[in-house]
């Protein structure tokens, strides 16, 4: 039976970032994933780093996350493309204008540097947007990551920091006695750890049950649409007032359309299926925002499963009734803030005085 | 409105109107089932008997293929089978819902069962320069010849392997073209060895002899055991380097077009979308949907006709269509066990005979290790995303061990063709490099749309107010 200081179950952005920070501080870390590193939500998400879609209370964390993403070569790896872009959030009707002004004001209150700008100013920032907008909100702190490269970047950084990675290891049982955790895998192997971190994304409900913790975690199957490569047709990250569109063009010319238009999916067999009506709605909205997009073709659609708690706020911190057991996940815009949230949890584990009370899992128990 | 939902429920939707699709549609219609047959082409025929475009008023020389196509269309008309030609299927979901687009909109049909008869597409092993203008697929070349009745250029080099080389050569000569060379990865001995098996199918064998004879009479230089290593554009056309894989000798020649193909790959886009089980069978063309002897896939209600569950060629295609549809009729309790046994007994026997023939063909189409090793590191493998061999191997060096991981780290297979063109060669390269069995690498997860969807066609003109209203995201 092998031993480790810290066993992290779930190798997504949250488990990966926590593990990386712990390893940098000298702990012996093992990351376990039932699939490969960052092949869940963290490898298939839209990679948008925007304040315009972030939940107001999470803005301070998203800002810190954004800053980390902007210098990945320092703490992660060079193997991942990140681009800073201006962010424009558009309102097409008077109702949307009201909503945008109201929401931007609240986000601003929480620290996002968002301002409402005129049609003219918006067109100066990105001449490709639909000229029939009522107004726009502008934020300089925006951009995107090529999320498909997350797995490569994290596995490289983790290995360099001597983190042990167990891929294709599915946890079936966790025993706890004498302050030690014995993790038992489906293949029969075992691993002993002094502390454990549960970071299984959309599977958290099931994994928490292994420690007799019962909370509800919803599974949101989100669709993403990508075009074939096109000449440059836009220069900003575009979002809309109600938060149901994220749109940007990558360096290689492909345009990614997202925004949380649900498809069909379930956790049990990791099954997903597209919902054509919702694809069409999402595509229409995107083409309305950037009219030239209409001349392109959709190359691929895929889905990812996103976790959401009942109050749509994260759960991060200690697991009650256990020593040295932690949880991290269900973070809205979790890719943006993941690296920072992971760092925070690691610092807490290392004994720093970090306030995570906003994310305490006890609120559901 | 951009999405039309057709609420008529069909008993069966047949996707693909080649010989196997047509025979299964007819077989089902004869028994009174409500059948819809869908194809992206403008008529029946599939790849092998593709109909000439409607705008071609008269075609001087009628080919045998064009006649067969007419017969297929007549069958469809005779049994009053509903058709949806010019419709490209882009999404199929369980239940079954089939989504397709045409010139103006996207439409959804529903059916209880599905017969997938989407055939194959061509396999091309990349070489340096295969993406320059003037390099086309060998199978693509047969379409230009047989459906359009012209040659791609006056001078041409044919390369790759298998009987398609000979067939294309025959037609090019027939249409007045000049073949500068035939570059075949197989040896003459390979051909002779296979000829006994090929004789089990006298009709095709006779055709083959006719083709080879024509090549011989026209004194066309044939380079056996050879491959094109490199091609680049020059003023006169294309300069290419031919490498003999046995002796290592190289030869440069100049031509105008290269038509190259290394056999065919079964189309599995729909079965992969439906998350059916797949198995790897090199002889049958690579990854194929797993079927039982009666062509049932692992997904209830989904049957494979034609080449989707393994390549067996045009002659077997209509029999495979009959078999798949008879199984469906039996499963749906429309025909009795006795009738089913009677129907299938003869077909299975016939198919066993074709098997000998198709095995021989697939031997001739096998990919020699050497041509995989011979691919230069700078060669683009995934042409949609410009991913080179060295980029693929770099991902492998960094620890990627399955094809989807390689996809996500490099973007291989993420473009409009969704890996149809590169998956085979990329997997071969990686398997070779790691000394792995190729099936350990897995296959690319099926993703919608299985063909690129043009946004303007699918969305049409719409008002902002018409966009479905959705609940705002939480603040
Ligand atoms: C389609 C989509 C688009 C998104 N777009 C954005 C965006 O643009 N911007 C943004 O900021 N956020 C976005 N998000 C949200 C973001 O992706 C997630 O918040 C974040 O990636 C979650 O990370 P995670 O580490 O918690 O979960 P995951 O990345 O899902 O990682 C969990 C890991 O746990 C493993 N696991 C599960 N069960 C077990 C077990 N029993 N044993 C071992 N391992 C197990 C899984 O295999 C997986 O690798 C999007 C999400 C989706 C789905």
């Amino acid at each position: 039976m092998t031993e480790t200081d810290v066993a992290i179950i779930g190798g997504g952005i949250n488990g990966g970032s926590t593990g990386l920070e712990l390893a940098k501080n000298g702990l012996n870390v093992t990351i376990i994933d039932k699939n490969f590193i960052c092949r869940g939500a963290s490898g298939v998400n839209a990679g948008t780093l925007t304040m315009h879609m972030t939940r107001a209370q999470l803005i301070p964390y998203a800002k810190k996350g954004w800053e980390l993403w902007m210098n990945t070569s320092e703490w992660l790896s060079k193997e991942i493309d990140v681009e800073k872009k201006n962010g424009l959030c558009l309102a097409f009707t008077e109702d949307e204008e009201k909503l945008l002004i109201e929401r931007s004001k609240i986000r601003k209150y929480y620290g996002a540097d968002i301002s409402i700008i005129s049609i003219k100013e918006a067109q100066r920032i990105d001449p490709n947007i639909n000229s029939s907008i009522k107004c726009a909100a502008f934020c300089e702190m925006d951009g995107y990551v090529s999320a498909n490269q997350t797995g490569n970047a994290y596995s490289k950084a983790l290995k360099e920091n001597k983190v042990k990675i167990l891929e294709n290891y599915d946890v079936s049982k966790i025993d706890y006695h004498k302050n030690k955790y014995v993790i038992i895998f489906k293949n029969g192997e075992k691993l002993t750890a002094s502390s454990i971190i549960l970071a299984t994304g959309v599977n958290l409900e099931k994994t928490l049950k292994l420690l007799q913790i019962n909370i509800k975690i919803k599974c949101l199957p989100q669709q993403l649409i990508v075009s074939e490569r096109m000449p440059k047709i836009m220069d900003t990250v575009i979002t809309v007032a109600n938060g149901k569109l994220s749109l940007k063009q990558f360096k290689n010319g492909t345009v990614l359309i997202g925004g949380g238009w649900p498809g069909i999916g379930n956790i049990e067999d990791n099954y997903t299926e597209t919902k054509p009506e919702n694809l069409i709605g999402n595509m229409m909205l995107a083409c309305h925002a950037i009219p030239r997009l209409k001349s392109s073709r959709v190359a691929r659609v895929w889905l990812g499963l996103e976790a959401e708690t009942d109050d749509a706020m994260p759960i991060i911190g200690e697991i009650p009734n256990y020593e040295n057991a932690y949880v991290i996940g269900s973070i809205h815009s979790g890719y943006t803030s993941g690296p920072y949230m992971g760092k925070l949890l690691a610092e807490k584990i290392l004994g720093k005085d970090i306030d995570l009370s906003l994310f305490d899992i006890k609120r559901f128990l | 409105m951009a999405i039309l939902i057709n609420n008529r429920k069909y008993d069966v939707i047949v996707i693909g109107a080649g010989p196997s699709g047509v025979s299964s549609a007819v077989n089902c219609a004869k028994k009174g089932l409500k059948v819809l047959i869908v194809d992206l082409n403008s008529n029946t025929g599939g790849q092998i008997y593709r109909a000439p475009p409607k705008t071609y008023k008269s075609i001087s020389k009628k080919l045998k293929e064009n006649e067969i196509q007419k017969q297929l269309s007549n069958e469809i008309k005779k049994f009053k089978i509903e058709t949806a030609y010019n419709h490209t299927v882009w999404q199929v979901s369980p239940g079954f819902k089939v989504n397709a687009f045409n010139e103006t909109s996207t439409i959804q049909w529903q059916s209880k069962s599905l017969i997938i008869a989407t055939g194959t597409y061509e396999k091309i092993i990349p070489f340096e320069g295969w993406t320059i203008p003037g390099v086309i697929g060998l199978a693509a070349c047969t379409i230009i010849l047989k459906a359009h009745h012209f040659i791609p250029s006056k001078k041409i080099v044919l390369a790759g392997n298998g009987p398609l080389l000979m067939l294309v050569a025959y037609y090019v000569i027939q249409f007045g073209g000049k073949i500068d060379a035939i570059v075949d990865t197989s040896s003459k001995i390979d051909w002779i060895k296979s000829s006994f098996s090929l004789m089990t199918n006298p009709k095709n064998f006779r055709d083959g002899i006719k083709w080879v004879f024509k090549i011989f009479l026209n004194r066309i230089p044939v380079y056996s055991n050879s491959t094109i290593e490199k091609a680049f554009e020059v003023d006169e056309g294309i300069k290419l380097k031919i490498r003999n894989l046995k002796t290592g000798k190289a030869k440069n020649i100049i031509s105008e077009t290269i038509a190259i193909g290394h056999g065919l790959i079964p189309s599995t886009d729909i079965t992969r979308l439906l998350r059916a089980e797949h198995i790897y069978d090199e002889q049958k063309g690579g990854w194929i949907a797993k079927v039982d002897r009666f062509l049932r896939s692992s997904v209830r209600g989904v049957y494979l006709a034609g080449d989707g569950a393994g390549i067996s060629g045009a002659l077997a295609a209509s029999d495979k269509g009959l078999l798949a549809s008879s199984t469906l009729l039996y499963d749906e309790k429309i025909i009795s066990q006795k009738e089913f046994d009677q129907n299938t007994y003869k077909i299975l026997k016939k198919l066993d005979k074709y098997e000998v023939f198709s095995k021989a063909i697939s031997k001739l189409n096998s990919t020699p290790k050497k041509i995989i090793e011979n691919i230069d590191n700078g060669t683009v493998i995934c042409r949609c995303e410009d991913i080179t061999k060295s980029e693929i191997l770099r991902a492998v060096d960094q620890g990627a061990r399955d094809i989807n991981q390689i996809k996500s780290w490099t973007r291989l297979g993420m473009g409009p063709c969704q890996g149809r063109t590169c998956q085979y060669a990329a997997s071969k390269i990686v398997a070779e490099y790691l000394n792995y069995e190729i099936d350990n690498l897995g296959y690319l997860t099926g993703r919608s749309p299985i063909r690129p969807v043009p946004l303007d066609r699918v969305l049409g003109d719409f008002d902002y107010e018409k966009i479905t209203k959705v609940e705002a995201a939480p603040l």
Side-chain angles (χ1 to χ4, degrees):
Chain A
M1 185 154 54
T2 36
E3 275 208 53
T4 182
D5 292 344
V6 188
I8 301 181
I9 306 177
I13 193 99
N14 286 316
S17 305
T18 314
L20 193 56
E21 188 65 21
L22 289 173
K24 282 180 182 170
N25 282 281
L27 289 189
N28 178 339
V29 179
T30 304
I31 295 196
I32 298 144
D33 204 293
K34 67 169 178 173
N35 197 322
F36 290 101
I37 291 282
C38 296
R39 277 279 285 282
S42 303
V44 301
N45 73 89
T48 310
L49 307 174
T50 188
M51 300 303 134
H52 290 300
M53 287 169 89
T54 300
R55 293 209 64 195
Q57 282 179 290
L58 297 178
I59 292 273
Y61 304 90
K63 277 170 73 181
K64 293 280 191 192
W66 188 90
E67 279 160 11
L68 282 171
W69 278 119
M70 289 303 142
N71 70 42
T72 39
S73 56
E74 303 250 307
W75 63 274
L76 182 62
S77 145
K78 286 195 186 70
E79 299 287 334
I80 191 156
D81 292 329
V82 184
E83 280 230 48
K84 188 216 160 291
K85 284 280 170 191
N86 287 323
L88 284 180
C89 190
L90 310 179
F92 298 110
T93 64
E94 268 156 32
D95 285 348
E96 288 175 9
E97 187 176 11
K98 254 193 252 154
L99 184 70
L100 183 60
I101 291 172
E102 184 193 306
R103 290 191 152 197
S104 299
K105 212 161 125 191
I106 300 172
R107 288 195 168 104
K108 194 170 169 149
Y109 170 80
Y110 278 96
D113 189 11
I114 297 177
S115 49
I116 299 294
I117 59 173
S118 68
I119 308 171
K120 253 209 178 125
E121 281 172 288
Q123 280 182 316
R124 192 180 48 76
I125 292 164
D126 194 341
N128 304 295
I129 57 169
N130 190 330
S131 54
S132 76
I133 56 164
K134 293 278 180 258
C135 74
F138 169 74
C139 182
E140 232 185 277
M141 194 178 246
D142 213 315
Y144 54 75
V145 186
S146 298
N148 57 295
Q149 298 162 343
T150 319
N152 193 4
Y154 268 85
S155 71
K156 193 156 181 266
L158 290 167
K159 279 178 204 159
E160 275 167 11
N161 285 283
K162 311 238 160 22
V163 173
K164 194 163 168 213
I165 298 175
L166 297 179
E167 289 175 324
N168 295 311
Y169 275 74
D170 198 347
V171 176
S172 63
K173 209 174 159 214
I174 304 172
D175 283 338
Y176 177 55
H177 52 112
K178 291 193 199 137
N179 286 335
K180 289 257 179 199
Y181 294 89
V182 179
I183 300 164
I184 301 160
F185 301 107
K186 285 226 170 98
N187 63 11
E189 290 178 39
K190 288 178 185 174
L191 175 74
T192 307
S194 317
S195 72
I196 54 167
I197 302 171
L198 308 188
T200 52
V202 81
N203 282 288
L204 268 180
E205 180 175 321
K206 218 173 122 195
T207 323
L208 280 163
K209 275 208 178 88
L210 298 175
L211 296 179
Q212 293 78 46
I213 306 277
N214 292 306
I215 67 166
K216 172 111 198 67
I217 304 232
K218 273 175 282 181
C219 165
L220 313 176
Q222 312 279 29
Q223 309 191 124
L224 290 175
I225 304 165
V226 69
S227 80
E228 62 190 341
R229 294 192 283 183
M230 297 192 73
K232 193 164 183 177
I233 60 158
M234 59 187 296
D235 200 27
T236 42
V237 171
I238 298 289
T239 52
V240 295
N242 69 3
K244 294 311 262 186
L245 177 71
S246 81
L247 187 63
K248 72 254 177 192
Q249 185 168 26
F250 286 102
K251 249 198 251 162
N252 73 346
T254 58
V255 177
L256 186 65
I257 308 172
W261 289 64
I264 299 163
N266 65 57
I267 309 175
E268 285 65 44
D269 31 304
N270 204 13
Y271 178 80
T272 57
E273 183 191 317
T274 52
K275 222 182 189 172
E277 320 75 282
N278 280 352
L279 290 178
I280 300 281
N282 202 176
M283 289 172 189
M284 281 181 164
L285 193 53
C287 290
H288 188 72
I290 300 285
R292 273 166 73 203
L293 184 58
K294 230 178 146 183
S295 65
S296 79
R297 297 188 304 171
V298 171
R300 200 160 34 90
V301 172
W302 72 91
L303 289 97
L305 302 179
E306 194 171 6
E308 194 181 88
T309 57
D310 276 342
D311 61 5
M313 285 291 279
I315 40 173
I316 308 174
E318 286 159 332
I319 297 177
N321 307 332
Y322 289 88
E323 290 285 315
N324 302 322
Y326 305 87
V327 62
I328 179 166
S330 271
I331 306 166
H332 212 270
S333 295
Y335 192 72
T336 309
S337 46
Y340 181 64
M341 295 297 201
K343 198 165 178 251
L344 274 187
L345 178 62
E347 285 173 355
K348 180 161 183 90
I349 294 171
L350 291 164
K352 276 205 191 154
D353 182 20
I354 306 282
D355 179 16
L356 293 172
S357 54
L358 189 56
F359 313 129
D360 197 339
I361 191 173
K362 281 203 208 96
R363 69 187 191 278
F364 297 115
L365 298 173
Chain B
M1 192 162 66
I3 186 160
L4 308 165
I5 309 271
N6 182 332
N7 282 322
R8 276 190 68 182
K9 230 179 148 161
Y10 294 93
D11 294 314
V12 53
I13 295 178
V14 179
I15 306 176
S20 71
V22 170
S23 84
S24 33
V26 169
N27 196 24
C28 291
K30 274 183 185 166
K31 293 286 174 189
L33 293 192
K34 201 152 83 182
V35 184
L36 173 73
I37 187 163
V38 188
D39 202 295
L40 60 86
N41 286 316
S42 60
N43 212 322
T44 57
Q47 302 291 14
I48 178 145
Y49 309 125
R50 192 186 290 238
K54 283 224 170 74
T55 44
Y56 291 14
K57 287 258 156 40
S58 71
I59 276 183
S60 51
K61 232 187 267 169
K62 277 269 180 323
L63 303 178
K64 181 182 75 189
E65 281 83 351
N66 303 140
E67 291 304 322
I68 299 178
Q69 187 276 320
K70 275 246 169 73
Q71 287 166 20
L72 294 176
S73 285
N74 290 339
E75 287 267 283
I76 293 287
K77 278 186 205 137
K78 190 168 139 199
F79 292 96
K80 300 201 171 60
I81 294 167
E82 261 188 72
T83 60
Y85 300 134
N86 296 312
H87 276 80
T88 304
V89 171
W90 60 275
Q91 155 78 10
V92 180
S93 23
F96 295 98
K97 295 188 199 100
V98 177
N99 293 276
F101 66 84
N102 64 1
E103 284 293 328
T104 53
S105 56
T106 174
I107 182 165
Q108 183 177 94
W109 304 289
Q110 294 179 39
S111 73
K112 204 169 165 206
S113 309
L114 278 183
I115 294 181
I116 299 173
T118 46
T120 60
Y121 50 89
E122 76 182 315
K123 183 202 293 175
I124 299 175
I125 308 295
F127 59 90
E128 201 183 330
W130 71 298
T131 53
I132 61 172
V135 181
I136 62 171
L138 201 55
C141 194
T142 66
I143 292 170
I144 299 176
L145 292 162
K146 292 197 297 189
H148 299 260
H149 295 226
F150 64 81
I151 42 176
S153 65
K154 272 265 173 288
K155 285 157 60 59
I156 189 165
V157 169
L158 308 178
N161 51 31
L164 218 47
L165 274 178
M166 307 303 157
L167 173 130
V168 172
Y170 174 83
Y171 279 114
V172 169
I173 300 165
Q174 192 91 326
F175 287 108
K178 178 175 178 297
I179 301 169
D180 289 319
I182 294 178
V183 185
D184 186 353
T185 66
S186 309
S187 67
K188 297 217 166 73
I189 294 171
D190 292 335
W191 281 93
I192 292 164
K193 271 196 206 148
S194 65
S195 58
F196 297 104
S197 309
L198 295 176
M199 267 185 244
T200 58
N201 188 340
K203 198 173 153 292
N204 280 5
F205 188 70
R206 252 178 283 138
D207 279 344
I209 296 289
K210 185 175 78 183
W211 304 335
V212 172
F213 220 67
K214 191 139 205 160
I215 293 164
F216 181 74
L217 283 180
N218 284 270
R219 294 161 184 273
I220 293 171
V222 177
Y223 298 85
S224 297
N225 272 322
S226 299
T227 188
I228 297 180
E229 186 170 276
K230 194 177 185 173
F232 51 94
E233 289 174 279
V234 290
D235 288 344
E236 309 92 294
I238 296 177
K239 187 168 175 181
L240 55 113
K241 185 187 235 170
I242 299 168
R243 170 84 61 194
N244 186 308
L245 295 170
K246 270 240 166 82
T247 63
K249 269 195 202 141
K251 185 180 167 71
N252 291 318
I253 59 172
I254 290 179
S255 190
E256 286 170 8
T257 301
I258 300 173
I260 184 163
H262 301 86
L264 300 167
I265 298 176
S267 141
T268 54
D269 334 59
I270 297 174
T271 44
R272 279 184 294 133
L273 265 189
L274 290 169
R275 305 287 179 258
E277 268 179 66
H278 290 76
I279 52 167
Y280 193 84
D281 187 334
E282 183 74 43
Q283 279 212 332
K284 291 192 166 161
W287 285 106
I288 50 173
K290 187 177 168 193
V291 288
D292 67 7
R293 194 163 153 74
F294 301 99
L295 301 179
R296 294 180 185 97
S297 77
S298 66
V299 176
R300 212 192 134 99
V302 178
Y303 303 83
L304 275 282
D307 283 343
I311 293 168
S312 31
L315 282 184
S318 63
D319 285 318
K320 280 169 116 181
L322 279 178
L323 180 60
S325 50
S326 298
T327 311
L328 184 155
L329 290 167
Y330 170 70
D331 289 348
E332 291 299 318
K333 304 200 168 53
I334 292 159
I335 60 173
S336 66
Q337 174 88 46
K338 200 171 146 211
E339 192 176 350
F340 176 61
D341 290 344
Q342 269 171 0
N343 285 353
T344 52
Y345 177 74
K346 269 183 277 167
I347 304 173
L348 286 170
K349 261 186 118 168
K350 246 164 114 188
L351 287 177
D352 282 344
K353 213 179 83 188
Y354 291 138
E355 192 84 336
V356 182
F357 180 77
S358 54
K359 266 196 186 139
I361 300 268
S362 90
K363 259 224 176 94
L364 287 169
N365 276 131
S366 63
T367 310
K369 251 184 161 172
K370 273 242 174 87
I371 72 167
I372 298 292
E373 287 167 12
N374 210 42
I375 301 172
D376 186 79
N377 272 339
T379 302
V380 167
I381 305 298
C382 163
R383 63 188 299 174
C384 295
E385 296 287 332
D386 286 326
I387 310 300
T388 61
K389 179 177 175 184
S390 60
E391 285 171 273
I392 295 171
L393 294 183
R394 187 158 171 263
V396 174
D397 285 339
Q398 286 173 344
R401 284 293 176 277
D402 99 337
I403 194 79
N404 287 299
Q405 210 172 8
I406 293 169
K407 171 182 174 180
S408 119
W409 293 8
T410 63
R411 300 192 61 78
L412 173 115
M414 284 196 186
C417 98
Q418 293 237 38
R420 268 190 291 278
T421 320
C422 66
Q423 168 164 254
Y424 181 85
S427 304
K428 280 268 172 194
I429 288 169
V430 176
E432 197 69 32
Y433 185 71
L434 290 173
N435 202 8
Y436 258 35
E437 289 295 330
I438 202 162
D439 36 344
N440 288 338
L441 298 171
Y443 52 88
L444 294 170
T445 308
R447 295 287 183 210
S448 167
I450 56 176
R451 289 290 182 284
V453 175
L455 281 166
D456 55 351
R457 278 212 229 161
V458 169
L459 302 182
D461 290 322
F462 61 90
D463 291 328
Y464 182 65
E465 291 68 39
K466 287 280 152 62
I467 303 176
T468 319
K469 290 282 160 294
V470 282
E471 210 188 311
L475 177 69

